[in-house]
Amino acid sequence: MPTPSAAPVPEPEPPAGTPRSLVLLLAVACALSVANVYYAQPLLDAIGREFGMAEGAVGVVVTATQLGCALALLLVVPLGDLLDRRRLMIGQLGLLVLALAAVALATNTPWLLIGMMALGLLGTAMTQGLLALSAALAAPGERGRVVGAAQGGVVIGLLLARVLAGVVADAWGWRAVYVVSAVLAAVLAAVLARRLPRRRLPAVDLGYWALLRSLYGLLAAERVLRVRGMIALLMFAAFSAFWTALVLPLSAPPHSLTHTAVGAFGLVGVVGVLMAARAGRLADRGLGERTTAAGLALLCLSWVPIAFLDQSLWALALGVLILDVAMQALHVTNQTMIFSISAQAHSRLVGGYMMFYAAGSGLGSIAATSVYAQAGWLGVCALGGGISLAALLFWAATLPRGASAPLVQP
């Protein structure tokens, strides 16, 4: 179905292959950008104590970040289809440094939440802009591989966010986490200014408000975007419920783990990086529906060992491993499918898709802390398992007849 855009600007064919050094740079940039959205998760107990937040309400910190994510997807990410993406990335990094400084200096709850919202907005805009840029720079036959590598950087960013936040907070307090991140963002801006190619990329000849309206046209016109978006909403609600609530039982007796130890559980998910790249290659071969089936089944299964947190931290580690492998396989498959729709709409496509992600993550965070306050860790596991099962049933209900159709059209 045609993309709702006006007067597209012609674009030369992409290169036969994307240099490995550029793919690595994009992956590193994705990692450093997305980390800003997730630093707060292992710090919720410390932040809650300093600002006098009740245990059942501290999830609002993550929710404020996810609100910023949603605003970025609606208002900022689509700009990548209109403006020079290189300049856009560097400008956003400059604003990100200021937002990080605002959080580090926050003196009251409203200031903190505004800063967190700004971090969600800019961290998300950077990350999704970089993923769209990766898809635009890649040749069609390697798009899944390149996007998978960039998404691998996102996974590393998620893991580093939790580990770095824990280590730095234990040493110097939670505010120092955001000071360190501001320095890293400034360095990244300098590197991207030198290394990002000055290449003419697909664009559309639209005004800003027409560009934003066209996003809703894409959502209305593209069934793949709607289906994959709903799967993303459900799977990220489950994922966010887990990571938002995890610090609460692990930091309390009998475990009483430090922030460093809680954050280290994220390292178990490093296998998800390998799965992200593998899933991208499978999607390039047209096997995305099979990857989706396997990923959703694993997502449901992961909650069984996770439920044994009180009895065994090894069981928890196994559950985290399964959860992260499932999530990365699903996420890369979803992205590869939607990026096949139109090269001139990559930023709007990823923006539309990730709106579902932001909604799911925000709802999962609110639900997890509320459920934990009422029903403990087993209640959170029942919540996550139920959402995961709903995602599996939704996928099965929307699967096209005879569904082994290729994901990427020749």
Side-chain angles (χ1 to χ4, degrees):
M1 189 160 300
T3 302
S5 60
V9 177
E11 172 61 17
E13 285 295 317
T18 306
R20 289 186 179 181
S21 60
L22 179 57
V23 174
L24 177 60
L25 175 60
L26 291 167
V28 170
C30 283
L32 294 178
S33 299
V34 78
N36 295 286
V37 181
Y38 294 95
Y39 284 134
Q41 286 186 345
L43 308 177
L44 286 180
D45 59 332
I47 293 173
R49 284 195 301 271
E50 180 165 340
F51 288 91
M53 298 180 186
E55 188 177 74
V58 72
V60 71
V61 173
V62 176
T63 302
T65 308
Q66 295 303 329
L67 176 59
C69 293
L71 292 174
L73 298 171
L74 285 169
L75 303 176
V76 182
V77 173
L79 285 172
D81 291 335
L82 185 63
L83 304 179
D84 181 89
R85 295 182 188 183
R86 179 178 172 277
R87 292 182 180 179
L88 187 61
M89 296 293 105
I90 296 168
Q92 288 170 350
L93 274 170
L95 293 174
L96 180 61
V97 172
L98 296 178
L100 287 161
V103 171
L105 297 172
T107 56
N108 53 56
T109 300
W111 183 294
L112 173 73
L113 296 180
I114 291 171
M116 287 294 180
M117 185 171 66
L119 288 188
L121 187 151
L122 293 163
T124 298
M126 278 294 303
T127 304
Q128 302 312 316
L130 288 163
L131 286 170
L133 179 60
S134 301
L137 292 174
E142 65 168 1
R143 185 164 293 139
R145 177 184 69 83
V146 174
V147 172
Q151 180 60 35
V154 176
V155 180
I156 292 293
L158 290 170
L159 305 182
L160 287 179
R162 296 175 182 122
V163 176
L164 178 64
V167 171
V168 173
D170 283 340
W172 299 296
W174 69 267
R175 293 176 186 272
V177 174
Y178 296 97
V179 174
V180 171
S181 185
V183 173
L184 292 175
V187 172
L188 178 61
V191 174
L192 290 182
R194 291 177 57 87
R195 295 296 307 277
L196 279 184
R198 299 174 183 271
R199 184 182 302 163
R200 190 169 171 233
L201 294 171
V204 290
D205 185 15
L206 292 172
Y208 177 66
W209 295 111
L211 182 78
L212 297 186
R213 287 194 299 271
S214 72
L215 173 58
Y216 299 101
L218 282 167
L219 286 168
E222 302 294 347
R223 182 179 184 275
V224 169
L225 180 57
R226 295 194 303 273
V227 170
R228 290 287 147 175
M230 191 63 196
I231 292 172
L233 186 150
L234 293 169
M235 72 189 201
F236 278 109
F239 190 69
S240 183
F242 171 76
W243 282 110
T244 298
L246 181 63
V247 67
L248 301 176
L250 289 184
S251 61
H255 302 297
S256 301
L257 299 184
T258 64
H259 291 109
T260 301
V262 174
F265 270 94
L267 291 175
V268 177
V270 72
V271 178
V273 177
L274 304 177
M275 181 52 65
R278 178 62 178 165
R281 293 188 180 95
L282 290 173
D284 285 337
R285 293 167 51 195
L287 300 175
E289 296 295 358
R290 296 181 186 180
T291 305
T292 302
L296 289 171
L298 286 174
L299 188 63
C300 294
L301 178 64
S302 68
W303 292 97
V304 175
I306 286 172
F308 287 90
L309 176 150
D310 287 338
Q311 287 73 40
S312 170
L313 294 182
W314 288 107
L316 174 64
L318 175 62
V320 172
L321 173 63
I322 298 171
L323 180 72
D324 277 355
V325 166
M327 288 295 300
Q328 298 316 315
L330 290 166
H331 195 32
V332 171
T333 299
N334 287 346
Q335 289 174 315
T336 304
M337 291 182 77
I338 66 168
F339 281 139
S340 70
I341 295 173
S342 169
Q344 292 173 333
H346 280 160
S347 293
R348 284 168 290 159
L349 288 166
V350 76
Y353 168 74
M354 293 300 290
M355 280 194 297
F356 291 93
Y357 149 85
S361 294
L363 292 171
S365 295
I366 293 174
T369 50
S370 298
V371 168
Y372 184 81
Q374 298 296 321
W377 184 247
L378 289 180
V380 172
C381 292
L383 172 69
I387 295 172
S388 302
L389 179 59
L392 178 60
L393 294 176
F394 174 82
W395 168 78
T398 57
L399 186 65
R401 298 298 179 190
S404 45
L407 300 182
V408 180
Q409 298 298 324

